[in-house]
Structures are given as structure tokens and as C-alpha cells.
Amino acid sequence: MFKPEPFVTRLAFVASERPEAQEARERLAARYGDVDEDRAQVVVALGGDGFMLETLHRHIEAPKPIYGMNRGSVGFLMNEYSEDDLLERINAAERAAIHPLSMVAVDTRRGQHRALAINEVSLLRQTRQTAKLRISIDGRVRLNELFCDGALVATPAGSTAYNLSAHGPIIPLDAKVLALTPISAFRPRRWRGALLPHTARVTFEILEADKRPVSAVADNFEVRDVLEVHVAEDRDITLTMLFDAGRSLEERVLAEQFSV
């Protein structure tokens, strides 16, 4: 795991393609200096939540703390943008350690596709036909048939993203559980999903795959025409995000549950 030095001074600035993000990067680099990402103690990501996920994925092989500032449209994972006292803010920041999901998807040609997801792994119908899924947990069938638009497994960090839009539960970061959430379930209508221990291994089998094709998406990596998908938390990988003092990710997740 990456071990921070006593005081952070070496920053690498990265930005999305949005003009305001690129302009911010130029100003901040001129003010605080800018080193290569491999030499940086902290990477500062300028953009929205999507760019934060891209940055985390890019550093997944050699994780470093990522401090995001919002220069995009959605900024739940980002700090407020300010050019002042940046080093002081980063050195006083609170850390959120997260573990990604590992997805193994088998397509109709029996090809295997592997990917990691920081937010969620989603299964989505590809046509007008509803998806028909069988769901097993740790090798035991728990739901024999689910007719739906899809289903997803979300991490605590991703529980406020697509999972929340699908009416899934918001999960505190230290809860050690995953959310299994249906997307527009048609039958059984009353099934609203489940909370699973973070050690659970989830298997989706796509029934009638030729008639009801399904794609699998791990964050922004998509596999089409899948037959089965296996999802589990990867505890060997730890990613670190930095948040301003008093505005930790834990606090944001808690506050989101009381938003109206």
C-alpha cells in the first residue's frame, strides 16, 4: 500500500477535456508546480465524478492518493474548487480507502472478459425484451428467475451513484457490505434487492440469452451478449481518495441519506 510522506509537496495535476478543467490545471500547475504522476505524492484530478473514476482506474496498478476538485457537472466524489491553500488542504485531508469489484464476464462465444469496477457492475438488457436472470450467491441459487431491465452490484463508494438511482440502499463506507439491486424488476415485483457481506461472490446467469441479450458493464467497460457474470470484491487492491477536513466521503454518504 502507498505510504504518504510526512508533508505533501509534490503534486501532479490531471484534468478532463472540459475547457474549465484544462484552464484550472494550467493555473494550478503554475502556482504549485507540477511533477510527473509517477513522482507525485498526490495526484490532483480536475473534472467531475467520471474523471475521478478514470483517474482511479489509471492508477489501479500502482495506487496513489487522489484529491479531486470539481470542474465538471457532477462532483459527489470531488472537493470544492479553490486555488488557495491547496497544499494545506491536502495535508489536512481525510482519507477514504475503497476496494473495487472484480468482474469476470463470459460471452456467448465463451470468451472471458475481466475488468474492475470502483462504483458498480451492471447487467443491462440490450433490446426491447426484458432480461431474464438467475442469481446465485456463493454458489447457491437465491433467485431462480428475475425478469427486469437489469441488475447491479454496487460498492459502498458507488452506492450513491447508479445504485441510488435504481432505488438501491446507500451504504456507509465501513459497513463491509455490497448492494445487490434490481433495475426495473417486473417479476418478482416486490423484490427490492439485498445487502450482501463484502466477501460474497455473486453469479448472474442470463436465461434465454439468444432471445433476451444482456450486456455487462464494470464502470465504463462493457461486454455485450454475456452468458454469465461473476462479481466479487477485490481486497488485494486498495484505492485512496482524499477529502477536505469535515467533508469526508463517509460524511457525504451519511448526509445523502437525509437529503430531500
Side-chain angles (χ1 to χ4, degrees):
M1 182 187 299
F2 178 85
K3 294 183 179 180
E5 298 180 21
F7 191 84
V8 172
T9 58
R10 300 193 308 277
L11 306 179
F13 293 95
V14 295
S16 71
E17 295 180 355
R18 295 173 69 105
E20 57 267 42
Q22 291 290 329
E23 292 167 5
R25 183 193 177 284
E26 292 181 8
R27 292 194 299 270
L28 289 166
R31 182 169 178 177
Y32 294 99
D34 185 24
V35 302
D36 293 337
E37 291 180 59
D38 59 350
R39 293 183 54 240
Q41 294 165 277
V42 170
V43 175
V44 179
L46 304 166
D49 285 353
F51 186 69
M52 169 61 87
L53 291 178
E54 289 180 21
T55 305
L56 287 166
H57 274 284
R58 194 168 66 251
H59 288 275
I60 218 159
E61 296 295 331
K64 288 191 176 186
I66 310 296
Y67 179 89
M69 286 200 289
N70 190 15
R71 291 283 84 186
S73 56
V74 180
F76 186 83
L77 299 177
M78 312 301 275
N79 297 287
E80 291 185 5
Y81 181 77
S82 174
E83 297 180 15
D84 297 328
D85 303 319
L86 182 58
L87 288 175
E88 288 77 6
R89 289 169 66 188
I90 289 175
N91 280 281
E94 300 180 31
R95 292 170 174 258
I98 60 175
H99 303 286
L101 297 173
S102 171
M103 179 189 80
V104 179
V106 181
D107 64 29
T108 53
R109 296 171 297 281
R110 298 294 175 178
Q112 285 196 4
H113 308 266
R114 299 176 182 271
L116 296 172
I118 295 164
N119 270 359
E120 74 277 318
V121 172
S122 306
L123 276 71
L124 305 167
R125 66 183 175 101
Q126 293 178 193
T127 68
R128 60 182 179 81
Q129 294 278 5
T130 58
K132 188 177 179 182
L133 309 176
R134 177 179 294 135
I135 302 176
S136 300
I137 309 299
D138 294 326
R140 181 178 175 182
V141 175
R142 292 291 183 175
L143 196 56
N144 197 51
E145 288 185 350
L146 173 65
F147 287 82
C148 56
D149 280 355
L152 61 86
V153 179
T155 66
S159 66
T160 57
Y162 192 10
N163 174 70
L164 181 59
S165 298
H167 307 291
I170 296 175
I171 305 172
L173 287 186
D174 59 357
K176 294 185 178 180
V177 296
L178 304 174
L180 171 59
T181 302
I183 302 170
S184 300
F186 177 69
R187 191 167 68 230
R189 290 185 189 275
R190 296 184 183 277
W191 190 65
R192 294 292 181 265
L195 288 174
L196 307 175
H198 71 102
T199 56
R201 303 184 69 83
V202 184
T203 297
F204 298 96
E205 298 173 71
I206 289 71
L207 307 178
E208 302 177 19
D210 55 341
K211 179 182 179 183
R212 305 171 185 274
V214 169
S215 65
V217 183
D219 284 349
N220 59 356
F221 177 84
E222 181 179 14
V223 181
R224 295 182 69 81
D225 300 312
V226 294
L227 281 179
E228 59 185 60
V229 178
H230 306 273
V231 183
E233 186 180 69
D234 191 333
R235 300 290 297 183
D236 292 332
I237 299 175
T238 301
L239 303 172
T240 303
M241 290 185 289
L242 302 179
F243 293 90
D244 288 332
R247 291 288 296 157
S248 68
L249 188 57
E250 290 91 340
E251 169 60 27
R252 296 178 191 208
V253 169
L254 181 61
E256 187 71 23
Q257 297 178 77
F258 295 90
S259 63
V260 293

